[in-house]
Amino acid sequence: GQIAPELFPIPPDALTAAEVRLGLDLMRAPSGFSWAPDSEHYVFINGKLSPTSLSQKVKRYDLDLYIGNLKDEITQLTFDPVAELCPRWSPDGQSIAYILSGKIRIQKLLMESNGAIEKSKDSPSSIPVEGDTIAMFPEWAPNSNQIAFSAYQNNDFDIFIYDFVSDNLTRLAQTPNIR
């Protein structure tokens, strides 16, 4: 279709290139911001062009988690070659939940005496979900003992709650198949 030149003075081909460039640039923009309960720290996602995609036509971005504080100190938390998404800081300040390859991961944190935050030596744990389930949008309960999340499985979206104390996964709601 023809784009109205009075609304978009950029030629259609150039506009497409600009939109593509904006899409690539947005992948590098910090996003997924979540405050720590101490209001001094935060976690966010930031992307960089994957070294493996430099020679490919389709560029791929590695999205990693970073922790920052109000003193402008930023530390990279994850280094996986795939995207981490939807970071959420637990209300007790001791863990960050995030999505990695469609699974919810929990990274335990250690608070140093100088206020710095480090990953615990334990590797991140995963919330057990069935087979090809794709988990999304984790949200902590106020007591940090449970986490709710949306999940796509069996061609439907459902809401689940995982209880860390009982190690129990419960389907909270099954959404109707709305088309």
Side-chain angles (χ1 to χ4, degrees):
Q2 182 71 3
I3 296 175
E6 66 277 2
L7 297 177
F8 299 99
I10 303 171
D13 290 342
L15 183 62
T16 302
E19 288 174 335
V20 168
R21 182 67 197 154
L22 175 62
L24 291 174
D25 284 345
L26 286 177
M27 293 299 291
R28 296 184 297 129
S31 62
F33 188 90
S34 178
W35 279 107
D38 67 6
S39 298
E40 298 287 325
H41 295 87
Y42 52 89
V43 61
F44 65 97
I45 302 164
N46 202 15
K48 59 186 176 294
L49 192 60
S50 169
T52 60
S53 73
L54 291 176
S55 62
Q56 299 172 357
K57 286 187 177 184
V58 176
K59 303 297 183 201
R60 187 174 65 82
Y61 279 83
D62 291 335
L63 300 176
D64 288 304
L65 301 183
Y66 293 79
I67 291 179
N69 62 32
L70 299 180
K71 300 174 190 169
D72 286 335
E73 299 167 331
I74 295 176
T75 304
Q76 189 169 350
L77 183 66
T78 60
F79 297 86
D80 296 304
V82 294
E84 286 90 356
L85 303 169
C86 302
R88 296 291 180 266
W89 211 299
S90 65
D92 66 8
Q94 300 196 13
S95 301
I96 293 174
Y98 60 95
I99 305 296
L100 176 71
S101 298
K103 305 297 181 211
I104 295 180
R105 305 288 300 253
I106 307 296
Q107 176 65 63
K108 294 285 187 185
L109 303 171
L110 302 172
M111 180 72 78
E112 302 291 328
S113 58
N114 64 0
I117 294 180
E118 304 261 334
K119 288 194 296 189
S120 74
K121 300 302 178 212
D122 301 330
S123 59
S125 60
S126 294
I127 292 185
V129 292
E130 300 172 5
D132 292 335
T133 299
I134 299 171
M136 301 169 281
F137 312 117
E139 195 62 49
W140 290 94
N143 64 7
S144 298
N145 288 334
Q146 297 171 314
I147 195 161
F149 59 95
S150 298
Y152 181 76
Q153 67 179 24
N154 303 323
N155 297 319
D156 260 327
F157 288 94
D158 298 320
I159 300 171
F160 290 86
I161 291 182
Y162 180 74
D163 187 304
F164 293 97
V165 176
S166 68
D167 193 30
N168 191 28
L169 180 66
T170 304
R171 177 181 281 127
L172 183 65
Q174 187 168 5
T175 57
N177 192 355
I178 300 171
R179 301 263 184 244

